[in-house]
Amino acid sequence: MDILRFITAGSVDNGKSTLIGRLLHDSKAIYADQLLAMEQQSRSNAAGCIDLALLTDGLRAEREQGITIDVAYKYFSTAVRKFIIADTPGHVQYTRNMVTGASTADLAVILIDARQGVAEQTKRHTLISSLLGIPNLVVAVNKIDLVSYSRDIFEQIVADYQVLIKDFGLKSVSFIPISALKGDNVVSRSTEMSWYNGDTLLQVLEQVEVKKSVNLKDARFPVQYVIRPQTEELPDYRGYAGKIISGIYRKGDKVIILPAGTESTISKIETASSEVDEAFAPQSVVLQLSDAVDVSRGDMIVKKDSVPAMSQELEVMLCWLDNKPLTIGAKYLLQLNSTTTKAIVTGIAYRINIETLQQEPEPGQANLNDIVKASIKTAIPLPHDAYSRLRENGGAILIDENSCATVAACMIQ
């Protein structure tokens, strides 16, 4: 049984947590004691029904404010598929957490309040989903019950959203009118919208094709740890431990160690339990080479027939996640896989205006939650791929040297 990883995203009060609670409740994925606890905590609410958002709003501050702050992960399964849900915050202040939740998602559910239509956060979350390469989007027009199940309002929102994404290059977008509170078209088909003949949300989640993103062509092995026991039993053992992020490695393969460019041959491949003739992504293995070459943590072992780009000059699309603005000349640490190196921002080509989605050239700086195209120079050459081609070797982060906080998510162009 395969696994679908998806996120829910939308503005504050669009009903993300309630939608997840409804999915779990109606698909019988809530334990009896959890349901009893929610019933007891919901007795005093004005609606007089179970507050399903309590299932995901786990922090006291979330319950007090009625918003999601941190990313909450939930797991459930049906007879068809297993699911991992990331309930990401809607408030613009917590966009950084939305980026975290979206970075590994196969699908994004973008919620839109039927009373408000396409909002700024709708545009921001759609743009981030597009930049992160999420292959499938579901637009759930929620609270359709509060607009009398209006077909006209639903179709107007669909038209507005299609205008929004016309230049995004998204290939798979579905639209569903739902009421998370009442359960319309979430797991069960609504009896209030005879005009809607499409699938329910759960049907889409069960049926959407998940194209496995594992690239078995371009071999990339970032070295995480060098094993040198130097014991009497293993006086000359030298192994390189790490996770194969893409491609296939076999004994006898000619390889290059980057960034030095040294050549060697794979002499042995070990897993946790045995020696094997070949290994592939996403296995964690130990490689041994036939030559006593210099290999350190942060180096990348690749095959001679598929070498990544090597450069100290990177062009990136960048989502700025820090309260302190990003400025040209600012210095940070850049982490790409197991490599961490000093880096300096050398230019900001443009900022994307979230309201108009137009490019604003040379903004001078980037503020919290801005999305910009920037130039970065690193202290050492980095083996990398374009994020759109191989996101395992094209996604990086910027780290503040003093606070060690992650201040930006970068997609290498």
Side-chain angles (χ1 to χ4, degrees), residues 4-314:
L4 179 74
R5 299 172 184 268
F6 70 96
I7 65 164
T8 55
S11 300
V12 173
D13 287 337
N14 277 6
K16 301 179 298 299
S17 299
T18 303
L19 173 62
I20 293 174
R22 174 61 63 186
L23 263 176
L24 300 178
H25 179 271
D26 289 6
S27 59
K28 314 298 182 190
I30 301 178
Y31 294 115
D33 58 335
Q34 289 179 304
L35 192 59
L36 179 61
M38 286 194 298
E39 288 174 343
Q40 292 172 341
Q41 294 178 60
S42 304
R43 281 174 184 167
S44 60
N45 69 17
C49 57
I50 299 175
D51 184 359
L52 295 170
L54 293 172
L55 201 62
T56 54
D57 287 346
L59 301 177
R60 175 177 294 181
E62 292 178 328
R63 299 187 181 194
E64 289 173 350
Q65 300 178 62
I67 63 173
T68 300
I69 295 174
D70 203 355
V71 182
Y73 291 94
K74 289 294 177 183
Y75 311 86
F76 77 106
S77 61
T78 66
V80 177
R81 175 174 275 173
K82 294 181 179 178
F83 302 94
I84 300 176
I85 317 169
D87 179 23
T88 61
H91 197 285
V92 66
Q93 180 182 352
Y94 300 112
T95 297
R96 72 195 78 180
N97 294 350
M98 184 268 172
V99 174
T100 301
S103 60
T104 58
D106 302 307
L107 180 146
V109 179
I110 307 289
L111 275 89
I112 297 176
D113 189 323
R115 300 168 299 175
Q116 300 172 359
V118 174
E120 179 178 317
Q121 279 296 76
T122 310
K123 297 175 182 177
R124 189 187 306 277
H125 291 159
T126 303
L127 180 58
I128 291 172
S129 299
S130 172
L131 289 173
L132 290 174
I134 298 177
N136 303 288
L137 289 189
V138 176
V139 178
V141 180
N142 192 23
K143 305 188 182 184
I144 195 76
D145 55 309
L146 298 183
V147 294
S148 304
Y149 299 98
S150 170
R151 179 177 186 173
D152 290 342
I153 290 176
F154 173 72
E155 292 182 343
Q156 183 59 55
I157 291 173
V158 171
D160 292 344
Y161 193 84
Q162 287 176 331
V163 171
L164 167 70
I165 63 173
K166 64 182 175 61
D167 297 324
F168 283 10
L170 298 169
K171 295 179 179 177
S172 174
V173 183
S174 304
F175 298 89
I176 307 174
I178 68 167
S179 169
L181 183 65
K182 297 189 174 181
D184 294 290
N185 290 336
V186 178
V187 172
S188 304
R189 182 169 297 282
S190 173
T191 58
E192 303 289 345
M193 290 175 277
S194 58
W195 48 267
Y196 177 73
N197 298 314
D199 293 326
T200 66
L201 177 59
L202 183 61
Q203 287 175 321
V204 172
L205 297 176
E206 287 184 332
Q207 296 169 12
V208 70
E209 181 180 356
V210 179
K211 182 181 179 182
K212 296 304 178 187
S213 58
V214 177
N215 178 325
L216 296 178
K217 178 182 177 184
D218 302 300
R220 306 284 184 262
F221 181 80
V223 176
Q224 296 179 354
Y225 188 69
V226 178
I227 301 175
R228 293 270 345 252
Q230 294 182 299
T231 60
E232 291 185 6
E233 296 78 14
L234 299 168
D236 300 319
Y237 185 96
R238 187 192 301 264
Y240 307 106
K243 177 181 176 182
I244 301 173
I245 60 173
S246 63
I248 303 172
Y249 289 84
R250 297 182 177 89
K251 287 175 62 176
D253 279 346
K254 302 292 184 183
V255 295
I256 300 176
I257 297 92
L258 298 176
T262 312
E263 297 187 12
S264 188
T265 302
I266 294 176
S267 59
K268 186 179 291 187
I269 303 174
E270 298 170 298
T271 66
S273 57
S274 62
E275 181 181 341
V276 296
D277 290 333
E278 70 172 30
F280 49 85
Q283 285 183 289
S284 294
V285 299
V286 174
L287 300 184
Q288 291 190 47
L289 304 179
S290 59
D291 306 287
V293 294
D294 180 14
V295 182
S296 304
R297 172 182 166 82
D299 288 349
M300 177 172 283
I301 299 176
V302 304
K303 290 165 68 170
K304 292 187 66 174
D305 59 356
S306 174
V307 179
M310 281 282 295
S311 176
Q312 290 179 254
E313 309 281 350
L314 302 177

